[in-house]
């Protein structure tokens, strides 16, 4: 991911200030301007969870980006304009939301293992 230039950082600070003031309409602006960066953060979380099936579903990722933007809006007052980027400092909250939405990877149940376990002494 490319470093953020001064103009982008200034716009992000303006968006975050509006979100911190309670103007949730700026969630749309956050997604429009920085949705690609939010998507990168969401994809990294989904990948760490082992949910490759979700990574292949563009609509699911888009929905998670919207969820992440609302998490950032909810936590906006806790950020600092000169601090970490919002999708970095809200990463734990975003991860929690993603986990609640898609869950962690599961493995299938093998009935043959049940039979072997029942037959064991």
């Amino acid at each position: 991911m490319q470093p953020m230039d001064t103009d982008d950082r200034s716009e992000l600070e303006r968006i975050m200030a509006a979100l911190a003031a309670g103007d949730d309409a700026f969630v749309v602006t956050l997604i429009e301007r920085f949705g690609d960066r939010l998507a990168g953060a969401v994809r990294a979380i989904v990948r760490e969870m082992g949910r490759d099936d979700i990574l292949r579903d563009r609509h699911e990722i888009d929905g998670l980006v919207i969820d992440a933007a609302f998490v950032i809006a909810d936590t906006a007052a806790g950020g600092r304009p000169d601090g970490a980027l919002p999708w970095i400092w809200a990463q734990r909250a975003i991860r929690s939301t993603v986990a609640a939405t898609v869950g962690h990877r599961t493995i299938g149940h093998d009935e043959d293992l049940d039979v072997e376990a029942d037959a064991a002494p």
Side-chain angles (χ1 to χ4, degrees), residues 33-63:
R33 287 291 294 124
F34 300 101
D36 57 335
R37 292 177 182 264
L38 283 170
V42 165
R43 281 190 198 94
I45 291 168
V46 171
R47 190 174 300 109
E48 289 170 4
M49 293 176 147
R51 293 300 308 267
D52 293 340
D53 57 319
I54 300 297
L55 286 174
R56 291 186 294 271
D57 187 337
R58 181 172 180 233
H59 296 292
E60 191 74 39
I61 295 296
D62 289 346

Side-chain angles (χ1 to χ4, degrees), residues 49-51 53 103-111 113:
M49 293 176 147
R51 293 300 308 267
D53 57 319
H104 291 276
R105 178 181 59 191
T106 59
I107 58 172
H109 180 73
D110 190 344
E111 291 179 18
L113 292 177

Side-chain angles (χ1 to χ4, degrees), residues 55-115:
L55 286 174
R56 291 186 294 271
D57 187 337
R58 181 172 180 233
H59 296 292
E60 191 74 39
I61 295 296
D62 289 346
L64 292 171
V65 166
I66 293 168
D67 292 345
F70 277 104
V71 167
I72 288 171
D74 290 344
T75 60
R80 290 185 6 219
D82 61 341
L85 297 169
W87 41 88
I88 303 298
W89 56 257
Q91 184 179 25
R92 285 186 181 166
I94 293 170
R95 180 184 305 279
S96 177
T97 298
V98 169
T101 302
V102 302
H104 291 276
R105 178 181 59 191
T106 59
I107 58 172
H109 180 73
D110 190 344
E111 291 179 18
D112 290 338
L113 292 177
D114 285 341
V115 172

Side-chain angles (χ1 to χ4, degrees), residues 11 15 19 23-35 38 65-66 69-70 73:
E11 184 169 4
I15 292 167
L19 290 171
D23 191 345
D24 288 338
F26 274 85
V27 168
V28 174
T29 308
L30 177 65
I31 293 168
E32 287 174 351
R33 287 291 294 124
F34 300 101
L38 283 170
V65 166
I66 293 168
F70 277 104

